[in-house]
Amino acid sequence: MVKHTLFLLLFFIIIGLRAQNTFSVQGVVKDNESKMVLTNVSVFLEGEDTMMVTNVSGKFSLSFSNKGEYILQISSGEYTIKRIPVILEDKNIDLGDIFLIRDITLEKSINLITITDDELLDEEVNSNALALLQSTKDVFLNRAAFDFGQAFFRVRGYDSQYGEVYLNSLPMNKLYDGRPQWNNWGGLNDVIRNQQYSNGLTASEVTFGGILGNTNIDLRPSKLRAGTRLSSSISNRTYSGRLMATYNSGVEKEKFAYIISGSRRWAKQGYINGTLYDSYSLYGTMEYFLNDKNSFSATAIVASNRRGRSSAITEEVFKLKGNKYNPYWGYQDGKIRNSRERHIREPLFLLNYHHESEKFRLNAGLAYQTGQYTRSRLGYFNAPNPDPTYYRYLPSFYLNSPIGANFESAIEAKNGFLSQPQLDWEKLYAANTSIGQNGEAAYVLYDDVTKDDQLTARMTSNLELNAHFKLDMGLTYRSLNSRNYAQIFDLLGAEYHNDIDVFSETKNDLFSALNKNNGDIFNYNYNVKGNEIDGFIQLNTEFKSLRSFISGRYTIVDYQREGLFKNERFINNSLGNSDKIRFSNWAFKSGASYSITGRHWVAANAAYINKAPVLQNVFINPRESNESVPNIQNEKITSIDANYFLRLPKLTGRLTGFYTRFQNTTDVNFFFVDSGLGSDFVQEVLTDLDKLHLGVELGLEYQLSSAVKLSLVGSVAKHLYASDPFVTINFDTAGAREDLIDISGTKFLGQSKIKGYKLAQGPQKAMAAGIEYRDPKYWWVAMTANYLANNYANISTITRTQSFLIDPETQVRFPDAADENVQQLLKQKSLDDFYLLNLVGGKSWLKNGKYVSVFASVNNVFDTSFRTGGYEQSRNGNFGQLKQDNLSGSPSFAPKYWYGFGRTYFLNFAFSF
């Protein structure tokens, strides 16, 4: 078998080395206004893999051996794509001077992260990956980013951990949850515009890639337009104002170039009440050329993002206060104060070496990232819950009383909530300074702090073996040390905090003082360490109409927890190092495309991937214990897609079908539950969880005239749970023996019957029709009508286990828990379908080499109210309690939802020279 394989490989290499008759298409690319030549402009035949860039004289010469009708595409970041029909025959073609027109819609893509990602990347919903799509020209993905994004649509239903992000070919996805943290370079839109995006399972020169694709952001000054750009924005979304300034020196004396950039974004509150925004970003990079083939670059990024968070709310609260309501804030001394702030400041430093020659490219880089991520919250100790939406303060609590509805008390609760719907800071200070407290805090404002230090080293190379074979390789090493602890930010007038667990009256750390002051670490304190070694190799082939690739990856990962507190509830398993949890796995993918003609081609890709679980899902209760998920498995992913591409002079499009199955996934959740086996705060561990994603995508674009363009896109998919996972709950055993669910501290609940339930991965049906008009006088306007449907809230898995049927009083099945009654109570309902109309437009002026532009957008023109997602609460973990809670039609523990923004605007002014 090995001999046959080597023989076939040798045969294809020999065939590839044979001489063929080749001809070329050549030309010179220039700016339409200045008539200056343009360098680094991409030129390729649509449907073919071979691409080149124009040289310093703006010239290109693209070789070809195939014959037929093709579209020659010429593109550069700041210009409108030029598509030229060509007929390839046995002769050279000289197109002469080709003029590109500056893209007057450029501000739309520059501001994509501004108008979508800042809204989406909060702790609860940061799994969205639409910021990956900023650079794509694919009409479907473009719509997904700009229009579907406001409804938390996810391409193919994938989490953002399955899309990889690179800066200068260095990976930016976090080891903790696998997701990129866009806030680390937020506000630097001017310098991150040079992006190369590979969609789905297609081959990438930079990486093996994720099933969602990957984006490499090239930060080198020589790859961006030289000059100065100033811009200012106003909005009513997440922030109200923004200022940005960027200067690119261009390549000076053929030796060096540099960029400096900065931005400031702010708001007293965004669209959601009480959500302050305070952010700044600073950026500097320098590139030095040893010669025309070798260069070094050094980059520093400091981005600070502080914002007030908002909460998911029940439908009861929504009806009382609307979609702008946020219970996390209140007035203190006449000023808004949010109890749930998030602050990210993680400086990033990059050092890169680049070698580029005709047949070989090499990129070696180092990255170091440090800093911290804090999330504030209110702690309360032997005191009433300060949350104004706490279930006992709402009308539903009295309507759902086991002894019968109390309408008078329900009305009083409603009036009380409406008169004081926000957090009462004065009340918290009064409680802490009362005589009965003797200086001890009943309420504490504290931060959950994560301090990461990560070192990354990576090398990639691209070698053109001959006209038919190309080899891509890469090797990556990453090392993470993450410090995690709770730190008192404000004692709210008290003198000290007593650091014990109020439920079990046990110490959080046996070796430190009980009384804590402002700035002290308390509650929990631990490190987690992670190391990853990753290597990939990829062979690309091209033979006339057939192109293919085969790629493989091997990864070694290890995780370890180091407890810094000796927790009295976990005396034997909290302090010191845990065992190292190691994973080694491999992945494989391959794909091929076939050109039926130069204007029609098909492609198919397939992947089988073994992937280590993310650090987030390895340890059961990392704040208090070294315990890891027993017998944790690698995640397995099987994915295929099939594509048809159409590239006519006026009509372009893509039709894709996809199928992906996730197997053996692990998930860890935390909540308080009243189950059939007892009540406790538990860590729920799901294992052997399978998920299925399948569907179709369609994107069509038609150039009706030189000024008018029409588009039609759609996605119809199914994202389902594909197995009944096993559920285990874990809890501490420090309480009274008779109150414990199990004296061992863990309870296996068997399978959760969730197979066939829909995943909460955003709308599973999305459609859009758009029209765009570009006037020859450099103004443009576009309108998109969108329909989004089949969206679901995340289900509770513990309520689908057998324990849900058990009466906690009798320990036998509820008599009325017949299958049909249970199914009706647990029936999954889709969120409302809805329509959204979006408008965008802009105008630009070019005067004496200076470029002025205005960009404006209005989203959700008709101010539609809609839910973007949510989750079922797991508090009612037994049939009797959930049934009782639903009798009134307004349950106290109803699902909680996030609501989308109503009518919003964004206006940007830019000046470039």
Side-chain angles (χ1 to χ4, degrees):
M1 180 64 184
V2 175
K3 291 181 179 179
H4 291 162
T5 303
L6 291 174
F7 172 77
L8 288 173
L9 182 60
L10 181 61
F11 172 77
F12 281 119
I13 292 176
I14 292 172
I15 291 296
L17 293 172
R18 292 180 57 190
Q20 289 191 358
N21 293 327
T22 59
F23 299 91
S24 66
V25 180
Q26 61 186 26
V28 179
V29 182
K30 297 182 178 181
D31 181 283
N32 186 63
E33 292 290 329
S34 67
K35 311 306 180 189
M36 300 288 289
V37 298
L38 298 176
T39 62
N40 290 318
V41 177
S42 299
V43 182
F44 68 96
L45 294 170
E46 293 183 354
E48 301 291 321
D49 284 344
T50 304
M51 185 194 75
M52 70 168 305
V53 295
T54 56
N55 61 21
V56 293
S57 302
K59 295 180 180 179
F60 69 89
S61 180
L62 187 66
S63 299
F64 66 88
S65 57
N66 295 343
K67 299 178 183 179
E69 296 183 359
Y70 286 84
I71 301 292
L72 181 72
Q73 185 178 122
I74 304 172
S75 62
S76 182
E78 299 186 2
Y79 293 86
T80 303
I81 293 175
K82 192 90 168 182
R83 303 177 69 243
I84 304 174
V86 293
I87 299 176
L88 303 183
E89 298 175 334
D90 292 334
K91 62 180 180 180
N92 295 325
I93 301 175
D94 188 349
L95 298 175
D97 291 344
I98 301 168
F99 295 98
L100 295 188
I101 299 172
R102 187 179 288 268
D103 187 359
I104 58 176
T105 68
L106 177 65
E107 293 296 327
K108 182 180 178 182
S109 61
I110 290 176
N111 289 293
L112 167 62
I113 294 178
T114 299
I115 62 180
T116 61
D117 198 55
D118 278 339
E119 296 160 9
L120 301 180
L121 287 186
D122 209 341
E123 180 179 326
E124 298 87 356
V125 289
N126 68 350
S127 56
N128 197 288
L130 296 180
L132 280 168
L133 311 179
Q134 183 188 22
S135 64
T136 179
K137 300 298 183 181
D138 180 278
V139 62
F140 171 80
L141 297 176
N142 194 272
R143 284 284 172 265
F146 288 98
D147 294 290
F148 300 159
Q150 60 192 309
F152 291 20
F153 175 81
R154 298 176 185 173
V155 175
R156 302 184 186 180
Y158 298 155
D159 187 283
S160 64
Q161 67 173 290
Y162 300 106
E164 298 179 358
V165 176
Y166 294 80
L167 297 184
N168 281 356
S169 300
L170 290 161
M172 292 294 116
N173 294 58
K174 298 286 189 178
L175 283 174
Y176 175 71
D177 59 8
R179 297 165 178 163
Q181 179 55 266
W182 286 87
N183 290 284
N184 289 156
W185 51 89
L188 298 171
N189 306 33
D190 289 344
V191 298
I192 63 170
R193 67 176 67 177
N194 186 20
Q195 303 183 13
Q196 298 86 41
Y197 175 71
S198 298
N199 184 31
L201 299 175
T202 56
S204 167
E205 296 180 339
V206 176
T207 176
F208 178 87
I211 58 172
L212 182 58
N214 60 86
T215 292
N216 181 42
I217 303 174
D218 192 337
L219 301 172
R220 287 176 291 175
S222 61
K223 301 298 182 181
L224 293 167
R225 186 184 67 84
T228 301
R229 175 182 163 85
L230 307 173
S231 66
S232 176
S233 307
I234 57 174
S235 177
N236 68 337
R237 293 170 179 163
T238 52
Y239 56 76
S240 57
R242 182 187 72 179
L243 295 173
M244 266 198 317
T246 302
Y247 173 73
N248 184 352
S249 69
V251 180
E252 298 183 351
K253 299 179 181 179
E254 300 183 354
K255 280 295 182 182
F256 68 94
Y258 65 91
I259 293 178
I260 54 174
S261 183
S263 76
R264 179 82 172 86
R265 294 169 290 169
W266 68 92
K268 290 185 177 180
Q269 63 179 352
Y271 183 85
I272 304 297
N273 293 335
T275 53
L276 68 92
Y277 200 103
D278 181 15
S279 176
Y280 69 84
S281 303
L282 299 172
Y283 173 92
T285 186
M286 183 171 182
E287 185 178 14
Y288 179 76
F289 294 88
L290 296 174
N291 49 49
D292 61 349
K293 295 180 180 179
N294 300 280
S295 66
F296 288 94
S297 63
T299 304
I301 303 173
V302 179
S304 174
N305 187 296
R306 172 175 167 250
R307 63 186 295 185
R309 292 168 53 201
S310 60
S311 172
I313 57 177
T314 63
E315 191 170 357
E316 176 186 17
V317 174
F318 168 75
K319 288 179 179 179
L320 291 172
K321 291 297 296 179
N323 65 343
K324 291 187 177 183
Y325 175 70
N326 177 17
Y328 287 160
W329 70 277
Y331 285 106
Q332 182 179 346
D333 298 329
K335 296 180 180 180
I336 291 174
R337 187 178 187 185
N338 192 312
S339 65
R340 294 284 189 105
E341 289 188 7
R342 184 203 66 184
H343 189 186
I344 301 173
R345 188 176 183 273
E346 299 177 313
L348 180 62
F349 306 93
L350 310 175
L351 183 64
N352 289 89
Y353 164 72
H354 297 270
H355 169 85
E356 295 187 22
S357 57
E358 184 178 356
K359 301 289 186 179
F360 179 68
R361 284 181 294 165
L362 177 69
N363 185 351
L366 290 172
Y368 175 69
Q369 186 168 28
T370 186
Q372 67 180 38
Y373 180 179
T374 63
R375 298 166 297 272
S376 67
R377 64 177 64 237
L378 270 174
Y380 55 99
F381 307 90
N382 292 318
N385 191 324
D387 181 359
T389 61
Y390 183 55
Y391 76 103
R392 289 179 176 270
Y393 306 154
L394 296 175
S396 58
F397 174 72
Y398 300 97
L399 297 177
N400 298 316
S401 172
I403 61 174
N406 186 333
F407 295 101
E408 183 177 345
S409 295
I411 293 173
E412 289 179 2
K414 176 182 177 181
N415 293 334
F417 175 72
L418 291 175
S419 65
Q420 179 56 275
Q422 301 305 143
L423 195 64
D424 192 338
W425 288 102
E426 291 184 4
K427 195 173 183 180
L428 303 185
Y429 276 88
N432 275 0
T433 55
S434 65
I435 296 176
Q437 288 297 120
N438 293 318
E440 182 180 344
Y443 298 96
V444 171
L445 184 67
Y446 68 94
D447 289 327
D448 291 314
V449 181
T450 299
K451 283 188 173 182
D452 284 353
D453 286 289
Q454 180 169 300
L455 178 67
T456 302
R458 190 165 197 262
M459 183 172 66
T460 59
S461 62
N462 313 105
L463 175 62
E464 186 176 325
L465 300 173
N466 54 49
H468 301 288
F469 292 91
K470 190 180 78 168
L471 197 63
D472 304 316
M473 295 176 288
L475 183 65
T476 306
Y477 170 74
R478 293 197 288 173
S479 178
L480 168 71
N481 186 71
S482 179
R483 177 86 183 275
N484 298 264
Y485 55 87
Q487 185 175 33
I488 296 175
F489 180 77
D490 191 345
L491 285 171
L492 304 177
E495 296 177 12
Y496 68 93
H497 166 66
N498 191 22
D499 189 21
I500 64 169
D501 177 71
V502 295
F503 297 104
S504 61
E505 297 185 349
T506 55
K507 296 179 180 179
N508 291 319
D509 182 23
L510 291 172
F511 295 153
S512 64
L514 279 178
N515 293 348
K516 304 290 185 177
N517 301 308
N518 283 332
D520 286 349
I521 294 175
F522 80 115
N523 197 7
Y524 66 91
N525 188 9
Y526 68 96
N527 291 329
V528 286
K529 303 169 187 176
N531 295 285
E532 179 186 74
I533 298 174
D534 176 281
F536 87 97
I537 186 168
Q538 179 172 276
L539 179 66
N540 306 274
T541 68
E542 181 175 358
F543 291 95
K544 291 190 176 181
S545 299
L546 179 65
R547 293 164 303 281
S548 66
F549 74 92
I550 183 170
S551 182
R553 180 180 66 190
Y554 188 76
T555 307
I556 301 172
V557 180
D558 66 70
Y559 304 127
Q560 186 175 39
R561 178 189 184 272
E562 179 191 12
L564 302 177
F565 275 3
K566 187 163 189 174
N567 190 298
E568 191 174 1
R569 296 178 297 284
F570 299 90
I571 285 182
N572 299 319
N573 200 24
S574 55
L575 185 66
N577 289 325
S578 70
D579 293 334
K580 276 193 176 183
I581 315 297
R582 291 185 172 89
F583 303 91
S584 59
N585 45 64
W586 56 269
F588 162 86
K589 74 174 182 178
S590 184
S593 64
Y594 178 76
S595 296
I596 303 170
T597 69
R599 297 179 179 181
H600 305 264
W601 70 92
V602 292
N605 304 283
Y608 184 78
I609 299 170
N610 287 285
K611 183 176 180 291
V614 293
L615 181 54
Q616 182 182 34
N617 291 324
V618 170
F619 294 99
I620 295 173
N621 182 15
R623 291 185 173 183
E624 299 182 332
S625 161
N626 284 336
E627 189 71 25
S628 61
V629 175
N631 303 314
I632 192 167
Q633 304 178 75
N634 281 316
E635 180 179 329
K636 294 182 179 179
I637 305 171
T638 306
S639 185
I640 58 173
D641 65 52
N643 309 269
Y644 165 68
F645 297 91
L646 175 67
R647 292 293 186 269
L648 301 178
K650 289 192 174 184
L651 179 65
T652 62
R654 172 174 65 88
L655 176 65
T656 296
F658 64 90
Y659 168 96
T660 301
R661 187 180 182 95
F662 300 86
Q663 294 175 279
N664 300 338
T665 63
T666 301
D667 195 20
V668 180
N669 305 297
F670 306 85
F671 51 83
F672 186 89
V673 63
D674 293 321
S675 75
L677 303 177
S679 302
D680 209 334
F681 184 84
V682 301
Q683 298 87 45
E684 177 194 58
V685 178
L686 306 182
T687 56
D688 293 282
L689 175 62
D690 294 0
K691 303 173 186 179
L692 180 65
H693 298 238
L694 56 92
V696 294
E697 300 169 346
L698 173 68
L700 293 172
E701 204 166 48
Y702 182 71
Q703 196 72 45
L704 186 64
S705 69
S706 60
V708 179
K709 183 165 60 178
L710 307 177
S711 63
L712 177 67
V713 305
S715 173
V716 179
K718 285 186 178 181
H719 312 316
L720 309 166
Y721 288 103
S723 71
D724 293 326
F726 295 104
V727 179
T728 303
I729 56 174
N730 300 267
F731 37 87
D732 69 67
T733 57
R737 186 182 181 92
E738 61 272 15
D739 294 334
L740 298 178
I741 295 175
D742 192 285
I743 60 172
S744 68
T746 184
K747 186 69 175 179
F748 178 64
L749 302 183
Q751 289 183 299
S752 179
K753 300 297 182 179
I754 63 173
K755 185 176 181 179
Y757 277 86
K758 304 293 194 304
L759 291 166
Q761 296 293 98
Q764 300 188 21
K765 180 185 290 183
M767 299 180 182
I771 182 170
E772 178 183 297
Y773 174 77
R774 298 193 189 200
D775 193 85
K777 295 184 178 179
Y778 295 99
W779 63 269
W780 67 282
V781 65
M783 178 178 70
T784 310
N786 307 276
Y787 171 68
L788 298 114
N790 296 358
N791 195 6
Y792 296 86
N794 199 23
I795 63 172
S796 165
T797 49
I798 198 170
T799 59
R800 273 82 179 177
T801 65
Q802 286 298 307
S803 68
F804 177 73
L805 308 175
I806 304 300
D807 187 333
E809 300 296 329
T810 65
Q811 289 300 297
V812 297
R813 184 171 178 141
F814 285 97
D816 56 344
D819 289 346
E820 58 271 21
N821 294 339
V822 174
Q823 290 172 7
Q824 182 62 32
L825 192 60
L826 298 178
K827 184 179 180 181
Q828 189 179 28
K829 298 177 182 178
S830 66
L831 307 184
D832 301 328
D833 304 342
F834 54 93
Y835 297 88
L836 297 175
L837 182 68
N838 300 327
L839 298 175
V840 295
K843 168 68 175 168
S844 63
W845 298 266
L846 183 63
K847 298 290 185 182
N848 301 321
K850 297 177 175 60
Y851 188 70
V852 180
S853 65
V854 177
F855 168 80
S857 70
V858 180
N859 279 8
N860 192 2
V861 172
F862 296 121
D863 202 25
T864 300
S865 179
F866 61 96
R867 293 175 290 183
T868 59
Y871 58 94
E872 295 178 356
Q873 298 191 71
S874 294
R875 174 67 178 263
N876 290 325
N878 67 77
F879 174 82
Q881 195 164 303
L882 185 60
K883 177 184 175 184
Q884 176 66 38
D885 196 30
N886 278 271
L887 288 178
S888 71
S890 180
S892 298
F893 295 99
K896 288 191 171 184
Y897 302 106
W898 285 282
Y899 288 83
F901 290 179
R903 185 186 302 111
T904 58
Y905 67 86
F906 179 82
L907 181 63
N908 184 74
F909 301 88
F911 178 53
S912 303
F913 56 93

